[in-house]
Amino acid sequence: MTAPLTASHATPAAGRETAIRLDGVSKMYGQGAAGLLALDGVSLDVAPGEFVCLLGASGCGKSTLLSLVAGLDRPTAGRIDAETGRVAMMFQEPALFPWLTVSANVEMALRARKGGEGSGKPARAERRARAAEFLEIVHLGAFGAKRPHELSGGMRQRVALARALAQDADVLLMDEPFGALDAMTRDLLHDELERIWRERNLSVLFVTHNVREAVRLGDRVVLLSSRPGRVVQDFPVELERPRRTDSAEVAGQAAAITDRLRQEVLRHGR
Amino acid sequence: MAVDTPAPQTGDRAGGDSALRDQGGALRDGAGQADIHARQIAGLDALELGTRRRTGLAVRVWAGLWPVASAVAIVLAAWQAVVLAGWWPEYVFAGPGTTLAELGRRLGEAEFYQAVAVTMRRAVVGFALAIATGLVVGALVSRIRPLRRAVGSLITGLQTMPSIAWFPLAILLFGLTESAITFVVVLGAAPSVANGLIAGVDYTPPLLLRAGHMLGLRRLSLYRHVILPASLPSFLAGLKQGWAFAWRSLMAGELLVIIANRPSLGEQLHFARELADSAGLLATMIVILVVGIGVDLLFGAADTALRRRWGLHQVTT
Ligand SMILES: Nc1ncnc2c1ncn2[C@@H]1O[C@H](COP(=O)(O)OP(=O)(O)OP(=O)(O)O)[C@@H](O)[C@H]1O
Ligand SMILES: [Mg+2]
């Protein structure tokens, strides 16, 4: 895997423009004493073409943060700018439409998208052909006619990935996308995702529990604290790509981050 | 990658045409690498997907048939037992033998089929109007919030109203006409249809709404591509219940609103009682029961097919 690196990835800070900018973002669920402060003053920038991994204990507000960036929910305080372009999201669950075939699920992303190259939505036959291409990327080309429930959990996640890619967005939000996969498929999809990210110059905000996965993929790993969620630390990952999840370098950096994460969790234990 | 690739059992699903896939902005680097990926994943997928066995047709037909057959046998036996007990004379309460013979005789007469045709036409027209009404009302109520508060519980209230209680008003409004019957059938069935749709819209999984939103679907397109399909199972349940109400209302109507020279099942019931024709009365009742069950089975089959398609039939009992 020796794809040429484009310049924008090597220097994400060039020009100081941002793909996503969170400025003092807080999110409160409920009100008053019964309310729950899920996020407290989170500030975070993602540069165009940057791959940022969000790491944190369960319930620390990672999904909340993504849905705020996606515009599915409004912050209680603070500002969010994600106006560079279209935003695609992969949810923690596959969130496929059970009444559609796998192919039609992907086609829905093509049908709904506006503008783009060639003005207007692609026609039916063309949509089908393009959906097949996206399914091929996640190695599910032969499963287009199946329904989501006929696939395994991991395969469904891959369909969700194909659907997110089909949106042709500039910003990709991913909420533990590979949680349901076995280690080997996950490795393969890491390679695929890295490749697509490079080719399309995507900005990615990637949520995970898995420290090694974060180090494997991210230009930066951002650690969140729990209740309320705050940015604890921002780890740049300067290892050369392509990386391997089971390499010593990745393990080394992961260990350092895990230590910090453990401190954070222990702080709550008391 | 020094991993043993399992033999790709599902053939060449991700085979050598990788160079052809490169139009949609999805460019591939080194075909060799991609091929290894594809083969590994194909191998893993083949492991994940088990093969399913299909049961034979005869076995399935028998499995569906024997509970029905034994239920019928039990009912016939109990019926015969009551007749043999001699609580009522045979001319008041006919036995299964006489009744089935009478039913057989009627099945050979044109008049019987005219009656069934009239009744079924009323049922179809009334039920179709009820579906249309229920759809419009349900769609409006589920979309418009203030309407929701005003009309929501009224619909449920209408559902609990016995349809026979509408007939005096219907007869006053329309006289002894087809319109009076249709009016009551629609009032009986439409609330169930509307409620089914409203419940379906209400219980559209929020996750699917969010997914639709992320795909760029808004308002009408979200309604068309997500909310309506998601509410289909609930709507179907509403239809099924609506049919039951429509059929009951129709029978009540045909007993009360008798139109000259237009034989119907309800009318046959009415005259059988007047003439103290016990066997005829029971034979008509059997026909009414069979039609009701038959249509219900159709809805049941539609429901099962839908659940199978969506993978909602996971629990088999
Ligand atoms: N709609 C909601 N209403 C009330 N509280 C909520 C809601 N959504 C999330 N929360 C709360 O906000 C906190 C953060 O939830 P969130 O789903 O963002 O966590 P997470 O970091 O994604 O967790 P996980 O890693 O387990 O997915 C949790 O304590 C949760 O209980
Ligand atoms: Mg989450």
Side-chain angles (χ1 to χ4, degrees), chain B residues 99-120:
Chain B
T99 304
L100 291 179
E102 171 68 14
L103 182 60
R105 194 183 62 74
R106 288 186 177 212
L107 287 179
E109 284 178 352
E111 204 182 323
F112 168 80
Y113 294 99
Q114 281 168 18
V116 170
V118 166
T119 299
M120 287 316 290

Side-chain angles (χ1 to χ4, degrees), chain A residues 1 3 67 70-72 86-89 91 93 95-99 105 108-109 111-114 130 133-134 136-140 142-143 147 149-152 154-155 158 163 167 182 184-185 188-189 191-192 195 199-200, chain B residues 1 3-4 6 13-15 20-29 33-34 37-38 40-42 44-45 48-49 52 207-217 224-227 229-230 307-314:
Chain A
M1 272 259 245
S67 57
L72 291 169
R86 294 176 48 78
V87 178
M89 168 119 159
F91 295 88
E93 301 83 29
L96 301 173
F97 301 119
W99 53 86
N105 263 285
M108 189 60 81
R111 173 201 291 269
R113 81 191 198 189
K114 300 173 227 91
R130 310 230 2 212
E133 287 164 16
F134 286 107
E136 205 62 67
I137 292 177
V138 294
H139 304 293
L140 287 175
F143 293 85
R147 300 212 171 243
H149 72 93
E150 295 176 281
L151 306 185
S152 74
M155 292 160 97
R158 278 145 63 194
R163 184 174 70 174
Q167 280 182 263
D182 62 277
M184 197 165 134
T185 311
L188 299 175
L189 285 181
D191 295 348
E192 291 290 327
R195 184 177 62 72
E199 280 171 13
R200 303 249 198 111
Chain B
M1 299 232 179
V3 192
D4 254 3
R13 71 159 74 126
L20 296 173
R21 298 177 213 126
D22 293 348
Q23 304 162 327
L27 295 154
R28 230 155 235 294
D29 58 358
Q33 176 82 28
H37 274 195
Q40 284 177 343
I41 292 195
L44 287 167
D45 288 347
E48 280 176 38
L49 290 173
R52 249 181 292 166
L207 182 66
L208 295 186
L209 288 178
R210 290 154 66 89
H213 191 91
M214 282 320 292
L215 292 177
L217 301 171
R224 181 172 149 222
H225 293 300
V226 180
I227 298 174
R307 286 176 180 278
R308 180 152 298 145
R309 261 161 68 96
W310 291 24
L312 298 171
H313 66 303
Q314 249 61 324

Side-chain angles (χ1 to χ4, degrees), chain B residues 12 21 32 49 66 69 83 108 115 122 130 146 151 161 181 191 198 227 256-257 259 273 276 282 287 299 315:
Chain B
D12 57 353
R21 298 177 213 126
L49 290 173
W66 77 260
V83 172
R122 286 171 177 167
V151 185
M161 178 109 166
I181 297 178
I198 294 169
I227 298 174
L256 288 177
V257 181
I259 302 168
R273 185 185 68 82
L282 288 167
V287 172
F299 281 115
V315 182

Side-chain angles (χ1 to χ4, degrees), chain A:
Chain A
M1 272 259 245
T2 44
L5 269 175
T6 42
S8 64
H9 289 112
T11 53
R16 240 353 303 155
E17 40 168 353
T18 55
I20 307 170
R21 157 165 280 171
L22 285 86
D23 200 3
V25 169
S26 299
K27 177 67 191 177
M28 181 96 162
Y29 284 115
Q31 271 165 4
L36 181 125
L37 192 60
L39 291 173
D40 184 23
V42 173
S43 297
L44 178 70
D45 281 4
V46 178
E50 196 180 18
F51 201 125
V52 175
C53 290
L54 264 183
L55 202 60
S58 185
C60 74
K62 304 181 295 291
S63 298
T64 302
L65 195 144
L66 283 200
S67 57
L68 291 177
V69 174
L72 291 169
D73 209 347
R74 265 193 209 116
T76 317
R79 268 177 62 88
I80 296 176
D81 294 310
E83 282 157 22
T84 352
R86 294 176 48 78
V87 178
M89 168 119 159
M90 222 184 127
F91 295 88
Q92 204 162 353
E93 301 83 29
L96 301 173
F97 301 119
W99 53 86
L100 297 177
T101 61
V102 162
S103 168
N105 263 285
V106 179
E107 285 165 45
M108 189 60 81
L110 299 166
R111 173 201 291 269
R113 81 191 198 189
K114 300 173 227 91
E117 72 279 19
S119 82
K121 309 162 187 176
R124 186 119 194 266
E126 197 198 328
R127 279 207 302 268
R128 171 145 311 170
R130 310 230 2 212
E133 287 164 16
F134 286 107
L135 286 173
E136 205 62 67
I137 292 177
V138 294
H139 304 293
L140 287 175
F143 293 85
K146 295 246 187 245
R147 300 212 171 243
H149 72 93
E150 295 176 281
L151 306 185
S152 74
M155 292 160 97
R156 277 177 232 163
Q157 282 289 21
R158 278 145 63 194
V159 178
L161 176 60
R163 184 174 70 174
L165 294 175
Q167 280 182 263
D168 197 24
D170 313 300
V171 174
L172 187 53
L173 308 173
M174 307 177 86
D175 197 348
E176 296 182 38
F178 304 140
L181 300 180
D182 62 277
M184 197 165 134
T185 311
R186 193 180 325 169
D187 277 348
L188 299 175
L189 285 181
H190 283 163
D191 295 348
E192 291 290 327
L193 177 61
E194 192 169 49
R195 184 177 62 72
I196 293 158
W197 162 65
R198 276 180 174 160
E199 280 171 13
R200 303 249 198 111
N201 197 24
L202 294 171
S203 313
V204 183
L205 192 51
F206 185 102
V207 164
T208 175
H209 280 296
N210 185 327
V211 185
R212 281 194 186 206
E213 181 174 54
V215 175
R216 157 75 184 82
L217 289 170
D219 292 325
R220 275 158 59 208
V221 177
V222 175
L223 188 60
L224 286 184
S225 67
S226 302
R227 266 178 232 142
R230 292 199 183 100
V231 175
V232 176
Q233 203 170 331
D234 194 331
F235 300 87
V237 183
E238 267 142 13
L239 304 175
E240 205 176 320
R241 292 179 193 269
R243 305 166 186 158
R244 286 179 53 124
T245 312
D246 48 12
S247 73
E249 294 90 345
V250 168
Q253 271 232 308
I257 298 175
T258 307
D259 281 345
R260 189 70 188 80
L261 183 62
R262 195 168 289 135
Q263 281 173 24
E264 199 46 45
V265 173
L266 280 176
R267 197 172 60 78
H268 277 273
R270 275 186 258 127

